[in-house]
Amino acid sequence: MPDLLIELFSEEIPARMQARAAADLKARMTDGLVEAGLTYSGAAAFHTPRRLCLAVDGLLDKSPTLREERRGPRVDAPEKAIEGFLRGAGVAKEDLKVQDDKKGQVYVAVIEKPGRPAAEIVAEVLESVIRNFPWLKSMRWGSGGLKWVRPLHSIICILSDESGGEVVPFEVEGIRAGDRTSGHRFMAPKPFSVTGFEDYAAKLKRAFVVLDASERADHIWQDATNLAFAAGLEVVEDRGLLAEVAGLVEWPVVLMGEIGKDFLGLPPEVLQTSMKEHQKFFSVRNPKTGRIERFITVANRETADNGATILAGNQKVLAARLSDAKFFWENDLRVAAQGMESWTDQLSNVTFHNRLGSQADRIDRIAQLAREIAPHVGADPALAEQAARVAKADLSSEMVYEFPELQGLMGRYYAEAAGLSAEVAAACQEHYSPLGPSDSVPSAPVSVAVALADKLDTLTGFWAIDEKPTGSKDPYALRRAALGVIRLVLTNGLRLHLDRLVDAQLLRHQITPSDDKEAALLRELLGEVADHGVFGAAVRAVIDRIDDAPGWLSKIVEHKPDVSDDLLSFFHDRLKVHLRDEGLRHDVIDACLAMPGSDDLALLTRRAQALGDVLKTEEGENLVQGFKRANNILSQAEEKDGVSYEFGADKKFAEHPSEEALFDALQAARPEIDRAIEAEDFAAAMTAMAGLRGPIDAFFEAVQVNSDKEIVRRNRLNLLSTIRSTCLAVADLTKLEG
C-alpha cells in the first residue's frame, strides 16, 4: 500500500490563509480519493509561507473492481426500449442475461468497472483540486489561466512504497509534477529531490525549513520566553500574533531588541498595539513595573552577526512608528486636560447611522438612559450620566483614529487626565464590555449602567428602523449586544424590567423635542415610562396636568408595544442559547418564559435553574408525568362537557383514602408554594411542588376519575384542576417535552 506526498510550492502565502488552505487541501484531496475508490489509513497537512504539503499513508494501489447487475425491460418489450437500456448500460445485447421475474422474464446487464491505478486517480483528483482551490483571494500571472494565491512554481506528487518513490505524471498550466523542491529562500535555495514524506521532511530541515507550523510556533515561544527570562522580563502572551508570525517564517530566529527611552512613558497598551499591528513584534514587559521595555522580533534567517543588523533596522523603523504614537499621546493629553467637551462636540459631525442620527445624538440618548438605569444597579445617577457623556469622546482623539482597537481604553486614560472620577474613567473603558461570550463582565455600578444603556440604545435604535438581524446576517452585531445585556444582568444579579426600559428608549428614537422645556418634559415622561410602563397611572397624571401639550405627546399615549415585544422575544432567544450552553434544556426555559415577569431576566433564569434542578430528580420527573396525566384527563373532560372544572372540589365527596390524602397534600402545599414564589425562592417552591408526586401517583393508582357517579366525577375533575393550578403556579409544565 503506497504513501502519497504532495507539495504545492509557490511565492509567499499570506499567513492568515495558510492553515485554512492546508485544511482545504487535505479535505478536498482525501474526499476525492475516497470518492474514486481509494481509501487510506491516515493523512496530515502542513504549511509554511512558501508551500502546502499533504502526506497520505496507506493508500490503496488501485481502486477496486466494481460489479453491478442492472435489471432491464422484459424480453418481450418493444425493441426501442431494449435498445435504450443497452445504450444506458453500455453493453451489447448478446451480453445480456435473462432472469425470471414476477412479471415474466427480464433482461439483466452485468456491468463491470475495472479498478484504476492509484497514480491515474491521484493525478485526476489533484489537478481538479488545484484548478478549483477555494482561496479567499487569488491571482493570475503570465499568460496562463491558472488562479492561485501567489504564483505557483512547482508541484511534488510522489507515490512511494518499500521499493522507492514514483512521480505521478501530470501537468497543470505548464507546471509538470516532479520530485524536486527547494529549501530556504536565502539559506538553502538549491533544488533537491525527495523519495517520500520522511525523506522530504528530513531534507527540508537540513535546508533550513521547519515544515510543521506548530513546531515553529513552539520554537518561537520557547526562545522568546528564554531571552526575556534571562533579562528578568516576561513576554506578553499573544496566541494570535504567535500563529501569524509562525506563518511568516520558515526558519525562525528569535531576537530581542530595546525600545528607546523616550517611548517608555507611553501607555503599555499603546506600545503593544503599535508594535503588534505595524511590526509584528511581541512586547516584553517588566513584571515589577508593568512597563513594556523591550520587544521580540522573529527573523527568517540566521546571519553572521547574530541578527545585529536586523535588530538595528527594526529598532530604527520602530522608533519612527513610536514617534508618531508619542506625538498623538502628548497632543491628546493636552486636549483632555482642558476638558473632553471639544471631542464630544466633534461627534455631532460623525454619523452613527443615517436613520439614527449622529454619534452626539446617540450619546445624548445613552446618557439619559444611563441616568434612569443607575438607581437599579446601585450607581449614582449623576455619575452615570457624566460617564455616558464622555465614554465615547476618545473616538475623536488622534490615538484612537490611528488605532481604533484602543477605543475605550484610551478614554480611561484621557478621563483620568481630565481629572474625572475613577468611576467615570473606568466606565469609559468598560462600557463596551462584554464583547463576546468569553469577555469579562463589568461589575462597577457606573460601568454597568453605561454598558447597559449603550447596548440597549443600539438594539432599540435598529429595532425602531426595522434593521433586525436576518438569518446569519447581523452587520451591526445586535446578537452580540443582546448577549452583552444578558450577561451584564445575570452576572451582576440585576433586577430590571427590560420592557419598560426598551419602551422608553424606543420613544426616544421617535421623538425630538423642539426646545429645552419640551426636552425636560420628555425626560420626565420617559422616566415614568421606565419606572411604571407606558400606560402607567404616573404617566397619565403627568399628561393630565399639561395645558399646552406638544404634538409628540400623542406618540406616548398611542404607543404600541409590538416592537418592544419583538425585541423582548429577541432577548429571550439569545437567553435560550446562553442557558442551553450552561446545561438547561430548551423546554425548561420555555416553561418559565410563559410565566409573568419574563422581562426580568434574572428572575426568569433563577426560575429556570430551579425547575431544571427539580427535573433532574426522580420526584420531579414523575411529578411532571402525573401533572400531564391530570391535565390531559381534565382537558378532554372540559372539551367533552363544554365546561371548565375550576371550582368546587370538596373533600367530603372523596370516596377513597388516597383521594383524601391528595386533598390534604394540595391544601398544605399551595400556601407553601405561594409563599416561596412571593419570596422568589423558586428552589423551595419547586421542592414543595415535587412533594406532591407521591399523593398524585397514589391517587391515580387507586381511583378512576371518570366515575359512574356524576357528583364524584365532577369532584375528582375539580381536584385535577387544583393539581393543575398548583403546578402551573411554579412554571408552565405543559411546555415540557416527554
Side-chain angles (χ1 to χ4, degrees):
M1 300 179 76
D3 299 330
L4 172 64
L5 169 65
I6 295 170
E7 183 202 65
L8 305 176
F9 184 81
S10 69
E11 296 294 328
E12 276 75 2
I13 304 166
R16 69 183 186 280
M17 299 185 186
Q18 292 171 21
R20 163 91 178 264
D24 286 338
L25 175 62
K26 177 183 175 181
R28 291 183 171 233
M29 273 302 303
T30 53
D31 288 351
L33 294 174
V34 171
E35 188 176 339
L38 289 183
T39 57
Y40 61 95
S41 60
F46 304 91
H47 57 87
T48 79
R50 303 178 71 202
R51 65 200 82 220
L52 298 178
C53 170
L54 177 66
V56 182
D57 301 329
L59 197 67
L60 292 178
D61 57 359
K62 67 176 182 178
S63 61
T65 298
L66 301 178
R67 186 176 185 276
E68 175 191 0
E69 288 192 358
R70 188 178 299 179
R71 196 170 72 88
R74 289 171 46 173
V75 295
D76 58 352
E79 195 63 28
K80 287 187 177 182
I82 297 173
E83 291 174 0
F85 173 67
L86 294 174
R87 284 195 302 272
V91 297
K93 189 172 183 179
E94 54 269 22
D95 296 328
L96 297 176
K97 295 194 308 182
V98 177
Q99 287 185 356
D100 291 330
D101 187 76
K102 60 183 180 181
K103 295 183 179 180
Q105 290 188 318
V106 297
Y107 285 119
V108 175
V110 179
I111 305 170
E112 285 195 3
K113 292 184 179 179
R116 295 193 293 158
E120 180 182 329
I121 295 173
V122 168
E124 180 183 288
V125 173
L126 182 55
E127 180 178 359
S128 174
V129 169
I130 292 173
R131 291 188 180 279
N132 301 288
F133 204 80
W135 291 108
L136 295 174
K137 289 185 178 180
S138 56
M139 60 180 289
R140 290 194 185 97
W141 61 96
S143 58
L146 179 65
K147 286 185 176 182
W148 203 248
V149 63
R150 295 292 185 269
L152 186 63
H153 289 315
S154 64
I155 300 171
I156 288 179
C157 189
I158 300 174
L159 283 170
S160 59
D161 53 22
E162 295 81 0
S163 60
E166 175 189 355
V167 173
V168 175
F170 81 98
E171 182 179 317
V172 178
E173 297 288 337
I175 304 172
R176 188 179 297 275
D179 61 357
R180 292 171 67 79
T181 187
S182 297
H184 193 281
R185 182 186 286 275
F186 305 113
M187 301 172 69
K190 291 183 179 180
F192 54 87
S193 298
V194 299
T195 58
F197 178 71
E198 291 185 3
D199 183 45
Y200 168 78
K203 287 182 176 177
L204 276 182
K205 184 67 71 75
R206 290 196 293 270
F208 303 98
V209 174
V210 179
L211 183 61
D212 190 339
S214 61
E215 183 182 346
R216 295 196 300 273
D218 290 343
H219 174 82
I220 291 168
W221 186 249
Q222 183 174 357
D223 280 8
T225 52
N226 288 342
L227 282 173
F229 180 77
L233 305 172
E234 62 184 14
V235 183
V236 177
E237 186 173 3
D238 190 328
R239 291 295 170 184
L241 179 60
L242 180 61
E244 183 177 7
V245 172
L248 296 173
V249 295
E250 289 193 319
W251 189 255
V253 178
V254 179
L255 306 169
M256 185 165 70
E258 294 186 356
I259 299 171
K261 292 182 180 179
D262 291 345
F263 309 119
L264 295 180
L266 288 171
E269 298 89 353
V270 171
L271 287 170
Q272 186 178 346
T273 302
S274 180
M275 292 192 295
K276 173 183 177 179
E277 295 300 318
H278 291 147
Q279 309 301 129
K280 308 304 177 190
F281 291 169
F282 293 92
S283 297
V284 180
R285 176 173 53 206
N286 186 327
K288 296 178 181 178
T289 63
R291 291 198 315 177
I292 304 296
E293 296 183 354
R294 299 192 186 183
F295 67 88
I296 294 288
T297 184
V298 182
N300 191 31
R301 61 176 299 176
E302 296 174 357
T303 61
D305 61 0
N306 295 320
T309 303
I310 294 173
L311 271 180
N314 282 333
Q315 288 177 170
K316 185 176 180 180
V317 174
L318 178 61
R321 289 288 188 186
L322 294 183
S323 294
D324 291 341
K326 184 182 178 185
F327 172 79
F328 297 147
W329 168 245
E330 292 175 348
N331 195 48
D332 286 344
L333 283 180
R334 282 193 294 271
V335 175
Q338 297 171 7
M340 302 174 74
E341 292 78 9
S342 61
W343 281 339
T344 55
D345 291 344
Q346 292 176 33
L347 292 177
S348 61
N349 299 318
V350 178
T351 300
F352 170 66
H353 187 281
N354 61 349
R355 295 173 62 192
L356 295 174
S358 67
Q359 283 283 9
D361 296 330
R362 183 164 181 258
I363 288 169
D364 190 54
R365 291 192 303 268
I366 293 171
Q368 294 178 53
L369 182 57
R371 188 179 187 93
E372 291 171 7
I373 292 174
H376 302 288
V377 301
D380 178 84
L383 274 182
E385 181 176 358
Q386 182 186 32
R389 292 198 180 279
V390 299
K392 298 188 182 297
D394 65 338
L395 296 177
S396 298
S397 69
E398 294 185 65
M399 186 68 79
V400 172
Y401 183 82
E402 180 70 13
F403 300 113
E405 59 270 36
L406 292 179
Q407 63 183 352
L409 173 69
M410 299 313 300
R412 190 195 77 200
Y413 282 116
Y414 298 146
E416 291 171 348
L420 300 179
S421 68
E423 296 97 323
V424 171
C428 290
Q429 178 179 357
E430 296 177 344
H431 79 281
Y432 290 105
S433 298
L435 291 173
S438 59
D439 192 23
S440 60
V441 178
S443 58
V446 173
S447 298
V448 171
V450 180
L452 281 170
D454 182 27
K455 292 166 179 56
L456 286 173
D457 181 76
T458 299
L459 289 159
T460 53
F462 285 105
W463 249 255
I465 62 174
D466 199 24
E467 289 277 355
K468 297 174 284 190
T470 55
S472 61
K473 295 181 180 179
D474 188 8
Y476 305 111
L478 301 181
R479 292 188 179 96
R480 187 176 71 184
L483 179 59
V485 171
I486 290 167
R487 293 189 64 210
L488 282 162
V489 169
L490 299 187
T491 302
N492 291 289
L494 302 179
R495 303 299 305 277
L496 295 175
H497 286 292
L498 272 186
D499 60 344
R500 298 176 185 177
L501 295 173
V502 164
D503 271 328
Q505 204 66 3
L506 282 169
L507 288 166
R508 281 194 181 93
H509 285 285
Q510 299 167 2
I511 297 172
T512 304
S514 59
D515 54 35
D516 291 343
K517 182 179 177 182
E518 288 192 6
L521 173 61
L522 179 60
R523 283 195 296 272
E524 182 183 4
L525 285 171
L526 294 183
E528 295 293 345
V529 169
D531 288 339
H532 306 290
V534 174
F535 301 106
V539 174
R540 292 198 197 92
V542 174
I543 294 174
D544 290 342
R545 69 169 186 262
I546 298 173
D547 297 327
D548 186 17
W552 48 258
L553 198 59
S554 60
K555 289 190 176 181
I556 293 180
V557 179
E558 298 169 2
H559 176 69
K560 299 289 192 299
D562 300 355
V563 178
S564 52
D565 287 349
D566 186 62
L567 179 52
L568 190 60
S569 295
F570 182 73
F571 275 115
H572 289 160
D573 289 341
R574 306 321 303 163
L575 180 64
K576 284 182 185 180
V577 174
H578 178 70
L579 295 180
R580 279 204 301 268
D581 291 342
E582 295 189 353
L584 275 174
R585 288 165 26 187
H586 69 90
D587 58 331
V588 170
I589 304 168
D590 286 336
C592 297
L593 280 172
M595 303 304 290
S598 63
D599 66 317
D600 185 339
L601 302 185
L603 183 73
L604 171 61
T605 301
R606 284 172 51 199
R607 190 190 295 266
Q609 289 169 340
L611 178 58
D613 290 342
V614 166
L615 292 181
K616 292 175 184 176
T617 66
E618 182 181 357
E619 288 79 6
E621 279 291 348
N622 289 336
L623 172 69
V624 170
Q625 299 310 315
F627 163 80
K628 290 199 170 186
R629 184 176 181 184
N631 186 55
N632 289 338
I633 294 172
L634 182 60
S635 298
Q636 291 169 6
E638 288 178 334
E639 182 178 359
K640 176 185 175 183
D641 301 342
V643 297
S644 178
Y645 292 101
E646 295 180 356
F647 307 101
D650 195 327
K651 186 178 177 180
K652 69 182 180 183
F653 296 114
E655 291 189 338
H656 194 277
S658 65
E659 244 178 308
E660 296 177 351
L662 181 55
F663 267 106
D664 294 339
L666 288 169
Q667 189 173 8
R670 185 57 188 261
E672 186 178 348
I673 290 172
D674 290 342
R675 283 193 300 271
I677 291 175
E678 186 176 355
E680 297 180 356
D681 186 354
F682 297 111
M686 301 288 178
T687 302
M689 183 182 72
L692 295 171
R693 172 259 175 117
I696 291 176
D697 286 352
F699 171 77
F700 281 121
E701 288 174 6
V703 306
Q704 179 181 347
V705 174
N706 289 309
S707 169
D708 294 335
K709 301 176 182 178
E710 187 59 28
I711 293 177
V712 173
R713 175 178 178 269
R714 283 201 306 271
N715 195 56
R716 287 175 178 171
L717 289 172
N718 281 313
L719 183 58
L720 296 189
S721 180
T722 305
I723 294 174
R724 179 168 68 181
S725 63
T726 301
C727 293
L728 290 180
V730 178
D732 188 351
L733 303 187
T734 62
K735 303 289 185 182
L736 297 178
E737 296 178 352

